[in-house]
Amino acid sequence: MISKEEFLLKAYKLGIIKFGNFTLKSGIQSPFYVDLRPIASDPELLKELSQQLLNLLKKSCYDLICGVPYAALPMATAMSLDSGTPLIIKRKESKGYGTKKMLEGIFKSGQTCVLVEDVITSGKSLIETIEEVEKEGLRIKDIVVVLDREQGGVSLLKEKGYNVYNLFTIEEVVDLLYKNNLLSQEELQNIKNFLKSTPIVTAQVKSSRLTYEEKAALQSHPAAKKILEIAIKKKSNLIASLDVSTTQEVLQLAETIGDTIVAVKLHTDIIKDFSEEYVIKLKSIANKKNFLLFEDRKFGDIGNTQQMQFEGGLYKISDWADLITSHVIAGEDSLKIFDSKVGIITIAEMSSSATLTDENYKKRAIEISENISNVIGCVAQSKLPSSLLLFTPGVNLNSIKDKKGQNFNTPEKVFDKNHTDFIIVGRGIYKSTDPKKEALKYQKSGWEAYLKNISI
Ligand code: 5IU
């Protein structure tokens, strides 16, 4: 391994640092500009960098290496090859088709992952990557960085409890270049003055949840896009679960509360007088009031049976439902029978006491969901990867449980704790003496909880 100084001089020749007058992304005028990407085009030097970085980590224990996209990806790959440590890849954005995973590669929840970054300034992109990686159940202790621009990022990450190892600080780089006659006294002074006078940028650490607009951009399924668009337009994340037994009650409630909701959730099999005429009327209210029809059938059989239940029988769910729920208990293939137009919401976790949907079940349910292109999200009671929409039932402002195993939370709690996307309210609305007033109350409190959630 060559010395750090030798490494820097070789890298300098590739043009990784330029001096002059540059406008940075933040709008700040900077007397230097750093871009470490050219190193990847010099295999010998990339190998050298990988050894330097691995050397910084010699006391650390880790199972995986992950580079922050894009500049650090070749560095992380070289480190993986050098050390024999498996590499995982963090996507910058979800593919929007096929699997919607944000992390690619083979890993298990509970493993420890080292993050590799080229340049750290405010630490913002690292914090975003950390969140995505931790969401998948991986642990991050150590972060290795080639260059610290000394703009506050390292201390921010240290405050958050991470070890940050950097190969160079910018001050060290300019001192070494000066020593080697690659910078004049004046240039050196100029840069040092700049470093002293530039305020430390505190990373505007974005809320770890995405906004509905950001989620809409990530989603490719029309039903997912539609429900998010309705949410934005109506300022509502409320789904009313109309668990009533006559078509007249459903239609009346849909008409009364239609303006406040993004979808009506139905259990069509509890309705006594189902008819095609009812479907026509309900669809027309849904069109007029701009909400989706969500049949909570919770399919849970082998694919062949599910298909008959979805397309046939009295209810012909496939003819009218925009969204349906399905268990994943029968495995991935059982979900492939649904028409690609319907948005599937899988059951990853239930709200009832002593449910069997434990952590492991949820994890498997999420894996399956991410592999099916028309699964748009899950019903769950805890956070999901941001590629899936989270639908949370068991929401009530006045009760904490019922006598049949249901557990309730407030809208505020499910946004705060779980970063939910949609609240599902049943009895809180349809059992009330004034459903319209109650629906408005849930719409308002759900929306306020969302706004609070995105502003943290
Ligand atoms: N529902 C739950 N919990 C779950 C799942 C579905 O409550 O885990 I999966 C359904 C049941 C009911 C609605 O149709 O959501 C909630 O109604 P109440 O708000 O009346 O409990």
Side-chain angles (χ1 to χ4, degrees), residues 241 243 265 267 296 298 347 350-351 379 393 406 408 426-427:
S241 184
D243 302 335
K265 185 173 82 66
H267 284 290
D296 191 8
K298 296 187 190 70
I347 313 297
M350 294 193 69
S351 60
V379 177
Q406 174 73 305
F408 292 115
R427 284 162 286 182

